[in-house]
Structure formats: structure tokens, C-alpha cells
Amino acid sequence: MNKLILSSCALAIACTMSQPLAAEESQFAASGVLMGLSNYLWRGQTISDNKPTLQGDLMVEHESGFYLGTSFETYRYEDEGSIYNDYEIDYYGGYYQMVTEDLGLGFNAMKYTYGAGGYSVEYAVSIDYKTLNLTVNYDQDVEAWYTEVNYGLDLFNESQLVAHVGLFTDAENYGYLDNGKVADSIYDVGLRYRYPLLSQLDLMLEASYQEFEHDHYMIGLAYNF
């Protein structure tokens, strides 16, 4: 799947070479990643209260372009002044196809589930042209749209830098205040960097800025398999 980097977790997955499940002629391939990160960053926000997180992902692809996967993340949240540790398990599936050598189109549906209870469902449509990505997401529970643009740049020693810009619209349910009024839009920007330390081990770096939470940073390691 020649998709660009959409999140810290997707950054490592996108850099993983899919492995055949059986013989060379198998129609299926599997890939995965295990990560230890100093922060769980999601669209410019920290989901772990700027504390470390463990994350993992496993994906199976079919040569037709269809894929299924699941991911696991630990996070922290505040409720009535107390901090709680929790975990998140996500299930996703979709279809991705290269239309030409440079142009790719995809559709994805993801269900986020939480250890403390509850879930949300999000749908996404993506367009890739060479190293430029445009993705439009819709969260049916929060009823908010999120549009993002990502541009990847290959650097020395097979490292990669990705510039990211994102915008939430219809975002009143997130509850951010803008000059005393609930904001209906939220923007974020970020830089993400991957450097291969070993054949299956990557160094991960990220710096992000969100309109109302301001800046956050992340460093970590990703083991690809």
C-alpha cells in the first residue's frame, strides 16, 4: 500500500515492507509494527498527556487492493481532576489502488474502541499523487470533518521527512474556546521524521502545533515486521 504518513502509527506502517503470508504466489501479504513513543500525538493533540505510549499495528492486504487491520495504543485522560491510564483498540479496513504509476486512490473505515468504554467510527477518502497526499475524514460520532495534506520528502540514508497540515471543520463538539466562543474549526501543522537505524528498526521524531493546544513533541522507536 503506497500510502503517505497520516499519523505516528501510520508513519511506521507505511515504511514497512509487506511480507507474503505463504509462498511467493500468495495473494495476501502481512505487515506490522511495534512502537515505544514518548508521546501519543493525534492531529496536533496529545492523547497521552505528553507521557509515553506503547503502540502496535497488524495489517493484512490482498493483491486486489483490499486490506484489514487492527491497532493498539495506550493513552491517558483527565476526568474530574484525576488522571487515568487507558488503552485503545482500533479496527479498520478499506481499499487502495494505484490508478497510474503516480496516482493512488483509497477508502478507509475505522472503528476506535476504548478500554473505559465507548467507541467512534470514522470514514476516510484519500488521493495520493507521487509524494503528495490529500485525505478527507468524517467522524460520524463527533460529526466533524478533518481534511489533511501531507507531503513526503526522501532524505539521506533512506530517511523520510513529512510535512503535515490539517483542518477540523464542524468541530464544536471538541469544545475548544476561541475568544470565549466554541470554535467551529481547528487547524494543526506538523513535521514527522523517520530514520532507519537497522533493517527493521526506525527512529521516529515528530513536532506538531495545534491552534489551541500549541506545540507537542515526540521521539520513539519502531520495530517493523
Side-chain angles (χ1 to χ4, degrees):
M1 190 184 306
N2 188 26
K3 294 199 297 182
L4 277 178
I5 299 159
L6 305 183
S7 69
S8 294
C9 192
L11 171 60
I13 298 165
C15 299
T16 304
M17 295 297 294
S18 296
Q19 302 295 326
L21 288 181
E24 250 182 53
E25 62 272 13
S26 174
Q27 296 180 334
F28 294 90
S31 59
V33 62
L34 296 173
M35 296 186 294
L37 308 176
S38 65
N39 204 348
Y40 181 0
L41 298 182
W42 182 78
R43 298 173 182 173
Q45 308 168 55
T46 174
I47 309 299
S48 60
D49 191 33
N50 289 309
K51 299 297 190 300
T53 172
L54 295 176
Q55 302 187 4
D57 188 287
L58 179 63
M59 178 173 64
V60 177
E61 305 173 65
H62 187 265
E63 63 179 12
S64 64
F66 289 99
Y67 61 90
L68 292 171
T70 183
S71 62
F72 172 86
E73 300 89 11
T74 62
Y75 70 97
R76 292 158 57 93
Y77 68 94
E78 182 177 352
D79 186 23
E80 296 182 352
S82 298
I83 299 294
Y84 297 90
N85 295 305
D86 204 354
Y87 65 90
E88 171 187 338
I89 301 178
D90 308 323
Y91 307 93
Y92 62 87
Y95 177 80
Y96 186 85
Q97 193 63 252
M98 295 300 296
V99 180
T100 68
E101 185 177 339
D102 296 324
L103 180 65
L105 302 175
F107 169 80
N108 178 279
M110 177 174 285
K111 182 176 182 179
Y112 302 86
T113 68
Y114 310 100
Y119 69 90
S120 61
V121 177
E122 186 175 79
Y123 303 97
V125 175
S126 64
I127 301 174
D128 296 327
Y129 180 72
K130 295 186 177 179
T131 61
L132 181 67
N133 163 267
L134 170 66
T135 300
V136 179
N137 307 267
Y138 178 72
D139 188 316
Q140 69 174 23
D141 299 281
V142 183
E143 298 182 345
W145 293 86
Y146 182 75
T147 302
E148 59 186 307
V149 177
N150 303 277
Y151 180 75
L153 182 64
D154 292 330
L155 301 176
F156 56 92
N157 294 338
E158 299 184 350
S159 63
Q160 186 182 44
L161 180 69
V162 173
H164 161 85
V165 177
L167 177 68
F168 274 109
T169 52
D170 300 317
E172 293 87 352
N173 287 338
Y174 285 104
Y176 288 101
L177 296 180
D178 184 9
N179 295 322
K181 297 181 179 179
V182 177
D184 61 0
S185 66
I186 308 165
Y187 75 83
D188 70 279
V189 296
L191 286 175
R192 301 161 185 164
Y193 179 69
R194 176 193 66 88
Y195 184 86
L197 297 174
L198 300 171
S199 61
Q200 293 178 274
L201 185 66
D202 295 332
L203 172 67
M204 316 287 290
L205 301 172
E206 182 171 350
S208 64
Y209 178 90
Q210 196 246 41
E211 183 176 6
F212 299 106
E213 289 198 2
H214 304 298
D215 55 322
H216 297 289
Y217 304 92
M218 181 275 292
I219 184 172
L221 294 173
Y223 174 74
N224 306 290
F225 59 92

